[in-house]
Amino acid sequence: MNQFYLVGRIAALPQLQTSPAGWKTCHILLDVERPFANSHGSYESDLLSIEVWRGAAETLCATAQIGSWVTVRGRITGSRCEYEKEREKEEARIYNLVAEKIEYIHCP
């Protein structure tokens, strides 16, 4: 089963765009706190970029506020990317987080 669940705060306002196929899309930057303290006793967080599509993207762009707490359920997609390093072709895997459902928990 390919699913992820995240809870975090919106760190930057998403910008609505249109794909070449005509679908609405945006990326949301989510600040997600780690579930454990570091060696200094403080909790670090990760900034994760999440793809949002179609109606969910339009709704999110119309209602998002920086600092709002949201839950995101989605899937992880992967693709291969070729690049040249020191005149030799290398291959890397790129992973994207794609939202399937976003719900607000609290708005500031």
Side-chain angles (χ1 to χ4, degrees):
M1 176 170 26
N2 179 356
Q3 286 200 328
F4 70 83
Y5 294 88
L6 297 170
V7 176
R9 290 180 309 227
I10 296 175
L13 293 177
Q15 299 293 317
L16 193 62
Q17 299 175 347
T18 303
S19 74
W23 296 338
K24 300 296 183 186
T25 184
C26 70
H27 281 81
I28 183 173
L29 191 60
L30 200 62
D31 185 8
V32 179
E33 189 175 273
R34 295 179 182 176
F36 54 87
N38 63 17
S39 60
H40 302 291
S42 60
Y43 289 85
E44 296 176 0
S45 62
D46 296 297
L47 289 173
L48 303 173
S49 179
I50 301 168
E51 291 180 30
V52 186
W53 289 89
R54 300 181 181 163
E58 292 181 86
T59 301
L60 183 66
C61 287
T63 60
Q65 295 178 32
I66 292 178
S68 294
W69 284 89
V70 294
T71 62
V72 179
R73 177 180 54 94
R75 60 188 163 78
I76 301 170
T77 62
S79 59
R80 292 191 175 133
C81 172
E82 285 189 5
Y83 64 95
E84 197 169 304
K85 181 179 178 183
E86 297 178 14
R87 298 185 183 178
E88 290 186 28
K89 286 195 175 191
E90 298 281 334
E91 187 175 286
R93 298 280 301 166
I94 298 173
Y95 296 96
N96 296 312
L97 302 173
V98 180
E100 294 177 347
K101 185 169 184 161
I102 298 174
E103 293 183 355
Y104 282 93
I105 299 173
H106 173 72
C107 296

